[in-house]
Amino acid sequence: MVRLLGFLFLGLALLGVFLPLLPTTPFVLVAAACFAQSSERMHRWILANRTFGPMVRDWEDKRCVSCRVKAIAITSMLLVGGLSIFVMLDNFWWRVAGVMLVLAGSVTVSLLQTCKKRPAE
């Protein structure tokens, strides 16, 4: 069951790459947690992924996400989400709902702890 949830959250994360109102970062982290408990192969795959691996490793090792990940997530939600809301929706209440979703996603990402920069060696 946990593995199935991992695939569900990974699917939501992948949708979030293309759908501006759906945040990617939290879903990737939840998917990785599910795979860590249920599928060593999928957990290794997500850790080795060029896009998601560094973020997941930071989260698993230090319970933080990089400033870059936060900036990309919040900027894309605000820009693409905002554009979608005000171009695609003509009903005031749908716009309000869209703004609330974008804000909820932005707040969720912003509340994640930011990784401290490593000192130069």
Side-chain angles (χ1 to χ4, degrees):
M1 181 64 170
V2 177
R3 187 160 94 174
L4 182 61
L5 284 173
F7 282 111
L8 174 71
F9 285 115
L10 185 60
L12 288 171
L14 292 174
L15 281 175
V17 171
F18 303 103
L19 298 175
L21 299 178
L22 197 61
T24 301
T25 302
F27 290 129
V28 170
L29 297 176
V30 173
C34 290
F35 290 140
Q37 294 180 9
S38 64
S39 173
E40 185 178 330
R41 183 175 71 86
M42 285 304 298
H43 188 247
R44 279 193 318 263
W45 175 83
I46 207 165
L47 288 172
N49 183 281
R50 270 185 33 190
T51 303
F52 301 131
M55 174 180 54
V56 172
R57 284 191 298 277
D58 278 345
W59 183 256
E60 288 184 354
D61 296 343
K62 300 175 272 187
R63 287 293 187 250
C64 63
V65 293
S66 72
C67 193
R68 179 179 180 272
V69 167
K70 280 186 166 186
I72 290 170
I74 292 170
T75 301
S76 65
M77 280 188 280
L78 292 176
L79 289 178
V80 179
L83 181 66
S84 298
I85 290 166
F86 292 105
V87 171
M88 302 299 287
L89 300 175
D90 57 1
N91 179 289
F92 173 77
W93 294 111
W94 281 111
R95 284 184 176 170
V96 169
V99 167
M100 297 304 287
L101 286 171
V102 168
L103 289 177
S106 298
V107 168
T108 299
V109 171
S110 68
L111 290 176
L112 297 174
Q113 184 176 343
T114 305
C115 294
K116 304 271 189 268
K117 290 185 179 183
R118 293 185 179 107
E121 297 178 21

